[in-house]
């Protein structure tokens, strides 16, 4: 690792560098120096992101835009340059490494400890969308083409079932059927976009609770992180992914499915924070379709976990052999629970707008 971090403009002598966080995509390390000064060092996953140079161009443009509105260094990700003055490092092997200032006195939660924590993450992602409302969307590259194209995610699931390279499909036939029985709904939001009823906005597209840093003392939002998928998208998807992860009563990879449900209390908290922070920007139909965003993001993410399980765990980092299978089971359990709570979800969203 010294070969990597030694090429950045560090303050102080490095003391420690070790794996950090619970992201599923990039390789993340905490780097500490004797100043003391903390950094986050990351290698981008170039299997997931086909064009890492374009991704970094997006990231620099988006953070520059955010910084014009808020110059506090704890509020916007800060890249530390290399010794040669570049904003990130490209190795001879073609890997891209970046170094961030560590956001100090912050919390990054895999699970909300209080209802207010989730409400605050809704505020963070709602405000994020507001801050990017005047960002020139056409200058953003598509870092993962068709990222939230749910029908295409189902097409990829079908391909995986057919290819079945590890002979796993037979044993998970029940899970496959639970997902496929929802396939006809997959296009519900994109079709409204094609007909011009739902607009594209600049969205984050990965609005998990652990992609926002809260202030350790006040527990209010400090900074939205993980900007690798900032692209034009639907507001309902940013709402929906926040619910998928944050309003669940259990972890994304919980094995005991009796613990997994979608909490209406948490749903209401996130809806209140998100809708409040998006302000007047959302059209009535965008608000009305927020529950559908929650259902489709959960269905889509579950279909992606199942696809990855069938393909041999080539996309998401796993920590145990059936990790992706466990994850897909929690997601489909949540989808089915949302269906039971559908009317309450619609009512809560309508009330949050008032
Ligand atoms: P991934 O795409 O793999 O999820 P993230 O960019 O979300 O990668 O980073 C993984 C984790 O590293 C985050 O969930 C957070 O805990 C931590 N992290 C990332 N950037 C910072 C930062 N600037 N300051 C403090 N912690 C950070
Ligand atoms: C990945 O990078 P991370 O861990 O924040 C994934 C999301 C999924 C999520 C599921 C680029 O997010 O799309 O919803 O895992 N990110 C990418 O936890 O695929
Ligand atoms: Mg992340």
């Amino acid at each position: 690792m010294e070969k990597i971090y030694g090429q950045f403009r560090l303050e102080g002598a490095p003391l420690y560098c070790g794996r950090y966080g619970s992201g599923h995509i990039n390789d993340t390390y905490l780097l500490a120096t004797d100043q003391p000064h903390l950094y986050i060092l990351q290698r981008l996953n170039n299997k997931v992101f086909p064009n890492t140079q374009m991704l970094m161009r997006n990231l620099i443009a988006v953070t520059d835009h955010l910084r014009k509105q808020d110059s506090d260094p704890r509020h916007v990700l800060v890249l530390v340059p290399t010794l040669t003055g570049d904003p990130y490092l490209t190795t001879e092997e073609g890997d891209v490494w970046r170094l961030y200032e560590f956001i100090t006195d912050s919390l990054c939660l895999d699970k909300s400890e209080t209802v207010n924590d989730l409400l605050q993450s809704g505020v963070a992602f709602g405000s994020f969308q507001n801050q990017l409302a005047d960002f020139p969307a056409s200058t953003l590259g598509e870092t993962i083409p068709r990222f939230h194209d749910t029908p295409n995610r189902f097409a990829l699931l079908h391909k995986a079932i057919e290819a079945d390279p590890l002979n796993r499909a037979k044993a998970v036939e029940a899970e496959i059927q639970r997902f496929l029985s929802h396939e006809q709904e997959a296009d519900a939001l994109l079709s409204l976009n094609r007909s011009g009823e739902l607009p594209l906005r600049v969205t984050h597209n990965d609005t998990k609770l652990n992609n926002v840093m809260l202030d350790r003392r006040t527990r209010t939002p400090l900074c939205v992180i993980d900007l690798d998928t900032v692209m034009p998208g639907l507001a309902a998807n940013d709402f929906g992914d926040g619910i998928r992860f944050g309003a669940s009563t259990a972890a994304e990879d919980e094995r005991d499915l009796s613990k997994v449900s979608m909490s209406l209390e948490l749903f209401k908290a996130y809806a209140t924070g998100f809708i409040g922070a998006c302000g007047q920007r959302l059209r009535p139909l965008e608000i009305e379709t927020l529950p559908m965003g929650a259902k489709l993001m959960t269905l889509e993410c579950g279909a992606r976990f199942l696809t990855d399980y069938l393909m041999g765990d080539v996309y998401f980092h796993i920590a145990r052999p059936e990790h992706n299978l466990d994850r897909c089971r929690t997601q489909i359990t949540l989808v089915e629970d949302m269906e039971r709570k559908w009317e309450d979800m619609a009512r809560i969203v309508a009330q949050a707008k008032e």
Side-chain angles (χ1 to χ4, degrees), residues 22-26 42 206 208 210-211 225-226:
S22 48
H24 296 340
I25 302 294
N26 297 313
Q42 275 184 331
D206 190 2
K208 295 203 284 196
N210 64 17
N211 283 334
I225 62 167
D226 204 344

Tab-separated table of all heavy atoms in Angstrom, residues 22-26 42 206 208 210-211 225-226, ligand 3:
chain	number	residue	atom	x	y	z
A	22	SER	N	-18.217	-0.444	5.032
A	22	SER	CA	-18.970	-1.623	4.609
A	22	SER	C	-19.570	-1.442	3.220
A	22	SER	O	-20.633	-1.961	2.918
A	22	SER	CB	-20.050	-1.952	5.638
A	22	SER	OG	-20.769	-0.780	5.977
A	23	GLY	N	-18.892	-0.682	2.363
A	23	GLY	CA	-19.351	-0.535	0.971
A	23	GLY	C	-19.200	-1.863	0.231
A	23	GLY	O	-18.345	-2.680	0.573
A	24	HIS	N	-20.050	-2.072	-0.779
A	24	HIS	CA	-20.030	-3.342	-1.523
A	24	HIS	C	-19.216	-3.269	-2.810
A	24	HIS	O	-19.143	-4.247	-3.543
A	24	HIS	CB	-21.454	-3.730	-1.949
A	24	HIS	CG	-22.396	-4.007	-0.830
A	24	HIS	ND1	-21.987	-4.314	0.436
A	24	HIS	CD2	-23.751	-4.044	-0.810
A	24	HIS	CE1	-23.049	-4.509	1.198
A	24	HIS	NE2	-24.132	-4.346	0.463
A	25	ILE	N	-18.670	-2.084	-3.135
A	25	ILE	CA	-18.147	-1.914	-4.486
A	25	ILE	C	-16.644	-1.591	-4.534
A	25	ILE	O	-15.868	-2.340	-5.116
A	25	ILE	CB	-18.940	-0.799	-5.228
A	25	ILE	CG1	-20.438	-1.152	-5.266
A	25	ILE	CG2	-18.390	-0.561	-6.631
A	25	ILE	CD1	-20.812	-2.374	-6.079
A	26	ASN	N	-16.257	-0.474	-3.933
A	26	ASN	CA	-14.853	-0.064	-4.028
A	26	ASN	C	-14.025	-0.695	-2.915
A	26	ASN	O	-14.580	-1.224	-1.944
A	26	ASN	CB	-14.768	1.469	-3.950
A	26	ASN	CG	-15.481	2.122	-5.129
A	26	ASN	OD1	-15.280	1.725	-6.266
A	26	ASN	ND2	-16.332	3.107	-4.856
A	42	GLN	N	-9.159	5.071	-1.622
A	42	GLN	CA	-10.039	4.128	-2.330
A	42	GLN	C	-9.492	3.729	-3.685
A	42	GLN	O	-9.031	4.574	-4.448
A	42	GLN	CB	-11.419	4.768	-2.582
A	42	GLN	CG	-12.372	4.646	-1.426
A	42	GLN	CD	-13.751	5.197	-1.749
A	42	GLN	OE1	-13.873	6.103	-2.568
A	42	GLN	NE2	-14.775	4.661	-1.109
A	206	ASP	N	-27.767	6.088	-5.213
A	206	ASP	CA	-27.282	5.051	-4.280
A	206	ASP	C	-27.462	5.605	-2.858
A	206	ASP	O	-26.497	5.805	-2.130
A	206	ASP	CB	-25.817	4.743	-4.594
A	206	ASP	CG	-25.298	3.529	-3.843
A	206	ASP	OD1	-26.080	2.896	-3.108
A	206	ASP	OD2	-24.093	3.229	-3.991
A	208	LYS	N	-28.209	4.918	0.151
A	208	LYS	CA	-28.199	4.139	1.395
A	208	LYS	C	-27.818	5.044	2.559
A	208	LYS	O	-27.055	6.001	2.394
A	208	LYS	CB	-27.136	3.038	1.319
A	208	LYS	CG	-27.381	1.995	0.297
A	208	LYS	CD	-26.650	0.706	0.629
A	208	LYS	CE	-25.167	0.730	0.364
A	208	LYS	NZ	-24.595	-0.632	0.331
A	210	ASN	N	-25.718	4.471	4.715
A	210	ASN	CA	-24.264	4.558	4.923
A	210	ASN	C	-23.540	5.319	3.801
A	210	ASN	O	-22.323	5.299	3.721
A	210	ASN	CB	-23.638	3.182	5.177
A	210	ASN	CG	-23.758	2.238	3.998
A	210	ASN	OD1	-24.019	2.655	2.873
A	210	ASN	ND2	-23.569	0.946	4.255
A	211	ASN	N	-24.308	6.021	2.971
A	211	ASN	CA	-23.686	6.933	2.008
A	211	ASN	C	-23.930	8.385	2.400
A	211	ASN	O	-23.848	9.297	1.561
A	211	ASN	CB	-24.199	6.648	0.588
A	211	ASN	CG	-23.528	5.410	0.003
A	211	ASN	OD1	-22.409	5.071	0.393
A	211	ASN	ND2	-24.209	4.726	-0.901
A	225	ILE	N	-21.874	11.186	0.545
A	225	ILE	CA	-20.664	10.582	-0.030
A	225	ILE	C	-21.042	9.584	-1.132
A	225	ILE	O	-22.213	9.477	-1.498
A	225	ILE	CB	-19.786	9.912	1.058
A	225	ILE	CG1	-20.549	8.772	1.736
A	225	ILE	CG2	-19.317	10.933	2.078
A	225	ILE	CD1	-19.664	7.864	2.583
A	226	ASP	N	-20.066	8.863	-1.632
A	226	ASP	CA	-20.266	7.833	-2.661
A	226	ASP	C	-20.975	8.415	-3.890
A	226	ASP	O	-22.099	8.030	-4.232
A	226	ASP	CB	-21.070	6.658	-2.069
A	226	ASP	CG	-20.819	5.365	-2.848
A	226	ASP	OD1	-20.300	5.456	-3.971
A	226	ASP	OD2	-21.156	4.287	-2.330
B	3	LIG	MG1	-21.164	3.357	-0.308
